[in-house]
Amino acid sequence: MADQDTGSVAIVRRKAATAPRHLRQVLSLHDFEPLARRRLPRSVFGYVSGGVEAEVTLRANRAAFDRIALQPRILRDVSVRSQRLALFGQDHAVPFAVAPMGFSSLAAYDGDVALARAARQAGSFAICSAATLTPLERVATEGGSGWFQCYIPGDRARIEGLLARVAQAGFHTLVVTGDVPVAANRENNARNGFDAPFRITPQLIWQGLTHPRWTIGTLGREMTARGMPHFENMEAVQGPPLFSRDLVRSTIARDRLNWDDLRFIRDRWQGRLLVKGVLHPADAQTAAEAGCDGIIVSNHGGRQLDGSVATLEVLPAIRAAVPDMAVIFDSGIRRGTDVLKALMLGADFTLVGRPFLYAAASHGVEGVHHAMRLLADEVDRDMALLGVCSIAELRDQMPLLLPADWRG
Ligand code: FNR
């Protein structure tokens, strides 16, 4: 017991020595959430943190991780460890990246560029979202992001224009999100006044007045630097401004999108192509047949269909269905052990969403950098405690126990 105590004190001291003073009390990804909650108006925080309807899937994502027990091995000389992981032939310093998140620059000053920069510094990458208020060209050049996630418009002339723009900007990997044929029923957004079409209401004005650090330091700074935010990346040309009734029109026809459109995209997009939002092995196989290079197993962090299965539970079956395809995983990862569980159950790589945006909201690039380092530290420590030195060894040893009624 005494040894354990000494060990944990040493870890905290090491973090304290390397982290900037104002981040020394931030010891895990969870610690960023209350900081973001304090800084952001209720509407923006609710948009980031919320799930959909009764938030059944949001909770299920976490519960699935908690049901899996780890079974460490001991006395194995784990003094030389590496969590480096290659994806599509490219080596990454950590086995996780930043999931695409819309409206990031409303939550954090220049949020999309901040997320991309910090991820790059950490030896990973961030996927630029179509629902961002930052032109994708800036995220590519200033953030260094090579991954773009698109919400494909439902007609082909518009698809072609968008693909040409994304390629021209220098993105090498396109992620088509397939789980948003219609907008989800996010009641919290409607209650908090964060709902399309956006209108400046007394409720939003009050939230702005009561959160001056956000109003001045995020929104005000953003508008001073770049003017009224617009939906920049839904199509080949700039979309409507944030506060606009046209927003509804610009997103119509997405419910027509189908696998033929994906094949159409495949024929025209020279780079790597992935589909995000896969929860069924048959869809994974269709993606492979359509010529995709990979899929992202995701339930959108519990933000689309409430009651959807937890992503971790379907991961093994999807992995088995497409053994030769890149399978990336997200939804619910908060700890190093979560990353390792997903990698053991078949993921080639993982994505994390909300915690990195909370970190950007509270401390900008530095915050995201700290968050990524915390998660990397956890992965490294957990590997040692499990008795493995590499991700390959982890997958080989599989030091975990699945519950008897595990779906996968
Ligand atoms: C998202 N997500 C998302 N996904 C996508 O394909 N396009 C998008 O524009 C967005 N926007 C978005 C905004 C915000 C604020 C959040 C939190 C999430 C889903 C995201 O890519 C990812 O699937 C989940 O966030 C993963 O779950 P965790 O890590 O947040 O639990």
Side-chain angles (χ1 to χ4, degrees), residues 95-98 328-330 333 338-339 342-343 347-352:
F96 51 83
V98 182
I328 300 175
F329 172 93
D330 81 23
I333 291 178
D338 300 337
V339 172
L343 293 177
D348 291 305
F349 215 81
T350 62
L351 304 177
V352 180

Side-chain angles (χ1 to χ4, degrees), residues 100 102 129 149 151 177 276 298 300-301 303 330-332 334 353-354:
S129 155
Q149 172 266 322
Y151 283 127
T177 293
K276 178 169 181 281
S298 168
H300 222 103
R303 296 165 73 85
D330 81 23
S331 298
R334 298 294 178 268
R354 294 178 183 85

Side-chain angles (χ1 to χ4, degrees), residues 317-330:
I318 291 177
R319 169 81 282 170
V322 286
D324 302 323
M325 200 184 201
V327 174
I328 300 175
F329 172 93
D330 81 23

